[in-house]
Amino acid sequence: MKFQQICILGLGYIGLPTASMFATHGVKVLGVDTNLGILETLNSGRLHIHEPGLGEVVENAVKSGNLKLAASPEPSDAFIIAVPTPFYDSDFGQYNGQSYKKADMRAVIAATEAVLPHLRKGNLVVLESTSPPRTTVDLLVPILERSGLKAGLDFFVAYSPERVLPGQILRELVENARVIGGLTPESAQAGSDLYATFVRGQIHKTDATTAEMVKLMENTYRDVNIAIANEFSRLAERFGVDVWEAIQLSSLHPRVKILNPGPGVGGHCISVDPWFFVETAPDLSVLIQRARQVNDSQPEFVVELVKKALGSLPGKKIAALGLAYKPDVDDLRESPAVEVVHLLTRAGASVVAFEPFKPQANLPGVKALPSLSEAVQDADALLLLVNHTEFRQLTPSMLVSLTPARILIDTVNGWAGSDWAGSGFNLFRLGVGK
Ligand code: SAJ
């Protein structure tokens, strides 16, 4: 199948790089976003997200004349839906006395309904948004068939999960293997033809529900593995062990690879997606649910560490280094660092934060200052929450003149390599019980 004109709905971390990639590979792309602020930013040549290399790719896409932006779709050969699927903040499900989070599919529904008036025979509709199993079959198809056309016969439908790692999106978009789940084999083939435009990794065809499940399994697997690392950090503290050393030694075993503990699991994927299994099959996802709870409670464990380092929290001035959900990205969504700041503030500490990738961050309940020196200048303790390269490179001699604080708390093993012994700084590390 040939695709001359496509429409991509949702210009976030996935939609925008994907749209630009198609455009720089000769396809006419209409990038659609209902957020007019995003369209305005992009139209003025700026970006609303930080991703290495993205600025250049978007610029090339616009210069090529192939990437146009609009607030609503137009008739196209294919439509790709890449809108967010968060969970509801205050609408929880219940199973056996345990509450679980529920997916908010309103953006997917709205995007699919926006495609509906433009759907023609022979079109392809692809859902990329991470979704609960059976979304393509049970949610997307019934909406699209309101057109009077029959899915799989008159038009093609596929689910193709994005699997790129923030920070490396542009490379992974091209190089990663791609899974295309079709409603029918012909739909999978149509999806495969579309992504072959720029994907150099292998393209694997399957059915739509398998592809949905593959995506959720990948992120759930990672979440459960981080949960065990976080639980090990708690155990190590209890037993007077350095968890980082223990992990390194355990990982010498040829079949063991333990992930890193930290302040918790954030971002818009790993901390969200496992709930899509729990929501749809709570009776069968006990381990998955427990892992989520372990990771979600890790910020409280960090607060205990800070309390131990400072004696008590009320009135203590703490400089929180980093608010992003992981190193060297600007994304603050579901960030455990932000949760730690909230918990410390609630416990009476006076917290100021500095996030180098979003120095003007404006979050409710978080006082963020635009520079490291301002954030640390009258702190009692420095709390390292994100392993940004810039923070990892701080040394005792750099810090000594910046801050009166002599207590350092490292939740991400960022300062292990520096020589703090005899420096006058007292270093407390997460997961280190000695
Ligand atoms: N984290 C740890 N310890 C670790 C690794 C990560 O605490 O050893 C934390 C991070 O600090 C962060 C969270 O987990 O808070 C998630 O970070 P991540 O780097 O593991 O993953 P994401 O959310 O940036 O991207 C993931 C990736 N999925 C997998 O690696 C299986 C990516 O490939 C997906 O495309 C992405 O989710 C997505 O969009 O679903």
Side-chain angles (χ1 to χ4, degrees):
M1 229 179 130
K2 289 268 173 288
F3 298 91
Q4 266 145 22
Q5 162 83 45
I6 68 167
C7 196
I8 300 194
L9 293 94
L11 296 176
Y13 282 90
I14 302 304
L16 183 60
T18 306
S20 309
M21 211 52 103
F22 275 113
T24 52
H25 285 76
V27 180
K28 296 254 172 253
V29 181
L30 184 69
V32 174
D33 207 296
T34 51
N35 183 330
L36 300 182
I38 290 180
L39 295 183
E40 222 176 275
T41 305
L42 292 171
N43 277 326
S44 68
R46 290 171 296 128
L47 290 184
H48 59 295
I49 47 181
H50 168 89
E51 175 63 29
L54 182 60
E56 206 186 321
V57 178
V58 174
E59 200 186 319
N60 289 340
V62 172
K63 266 195 204 145
S64 73
N66 283 339
L67 178 62
K68 302 268 184 277
L69 306 175
S72 54
E74 285 175 5
S76 293
D77 301 321
F79 299 87
I80 296 178
I81 297 173
V83 296
T85 47
F87 44 60
Y88 285 102
D89 278 340
S90 51
D91 181 12
F92 297 102
Q94 289 287 336
Y95 180 77
N96 257 351
Q98 299 276 347
S99 65
Y100 58 80
K101 300 186 184 184
K102 287 161 61 178
D104 177 353
M105 300 303 287
R106 285 176 296 182
V108 170
I109 294 170
T112 314
E113 285 177 341
V115 168
L116 190 56
H118 307 289
L119 192 65
R120 305 280 178 270
K121 267 196 168 182
N123 279 174
L124 165 67
V125 182
V126 183
L127 177 63
E128 281 207 24
S129 312
T130 307
S131 301
R134 298 194 61 83
T135 295
T136 308
V137 174
D138 292 344
L139 185 72
L140 224 69
V141 166
I143 295 174
L144 295 171
E145 287 191 336
R146 282 193 231 147
S147 61
L149 300 173
K150 186 92 190 85
L153 280 179
D154 297 324
F155 64 97
F156 304 110
V157 182
Y159 179 81
S160 181
E162 58 79 15
R163 306 158 105 187
V164 290
L165 195 72
Q168 305 180 27
I169 290 179
L170 294 171
R171 184 175 61 74
E172 293 206 354
L173 212 48
V174 174
E175 289 177 8
N176 284 3
R178 187 108 206 172
V179 175
I180 316 260
L183 190 70
T184 55
E186 295 75 21
S187 292
Q189 185 56 50
S192 169
D193 293 345
L194 174 63
Y195 286 96
T197 308
F198 68 82
V199 170
R200 287 208 301 268
Q202 281 198 340
I203 296 181
H204 301 272
K205 287 173 280 182
T206 181
D207 65 85
T209 308
T210 303
E212 288 165 351
M213 195 156 165
V214 163
K215 171 69 194 182
L216 296 180
M217 283 166 56
E218 290 165 359
N219 281 356
T220 301
Y221 169 84
R222 194 154 169 87
D223 196 42
V224 172
N225 278 286
I226 299 170
I228 192 115
N230 282 333
E231 207 154 274
F232 287 152
S233 74
R234 302 172 187 190
L235 293 167
E237 266 193 49
R238 168 81 53 89
F239 299 128
V241 164
D242 176 339
V243 77
W244 306 97
E245 183 194 357
I247 286 176
Q248 195 196 356
L249 294 175
S250 304
S251 297
L252 295 175
H253 186 289
R255 284 172 295 285
V256 174
K257 174 79 191 82
I258 298 173
L259 293 178
N260 293 323
V265 170
H268 202 55
C269 309
I270 303 218
S271 68
V272 176
D273 302 352
W275 289 113
F276 294 174
F277 275 139
V278 178
E279 172 184 0
T280 41
D283 52 327
L284 301 176
S285 37
V286 182
L287 173 67
I288 296 171
Q289 201 172 143
R290 292 298 288 167
R292 278 284 65 244
Q293 286 160 351
V294 168
N295 288 335
D296 273 354
S297 62
Q298 191 72 353
E300 288 157 32
F301 185 70
V302 171
V303 170
E304 285 308 309
L305 177 67
V306 178
K307 215 185 271 173
K308 200 166 82 185
L310 283 166
S312 67
L313 292 175
K316 294 285 162 44
K317 293 184 197 149
I318 300 169
L321 305 193
L323 290 171
Y325 84 95
K326 70 173 192 176
D328 299 333
V329 301
D330 74 335
D331 193 342
L332 311 184
R333 290 177 299 176
E334 313 295 333
S335 172
V338 173
E339 176 65 8
V340 169
V341 171
H342 283 150
L343 291 174
L344 288 170
T345 309
R346 232 173 282 151
S350 163
V351 188
V352 292
F354 169 57
E355 173 43 67
F357 286 85
K358 261 209 178 128
Q360 312 297 340
N362 185 8
L363 294 170
V366 178
K367 185 176 176 201
L369 294 178
S371 70
L372 177 67
S373 52
E374 283 167 273
V376 303
Q377 66 186 359
D378 65 348
D380 295 318
L382 269 48
L383 172 62
L384 180 60
L385 290 171
V386 186
N387 209 356
H388 288 316
T389 309
E390 171 176 343
F391 293 151
R392 215 171 29 240
Q393 288 168 347
L394 290 169
T395 58
S397 58
M398 288 159 88
L399 277 180
V400 79
S401 55
L402 283 180
T403 179
R406 290 297 172 260
I407 294 178
L408 306 178
I409 305 153
D410 175 3
T411 65
V412 289
N413 205 27
W415 288 332
S418 305
D419 189 9
W420 301 97
S423 67
F425 286 99
N426 196 0
L427 178 64
F428 293 80
R429 295 165 63 212
L430 177 112
V432 179
K434 55 184 178 192

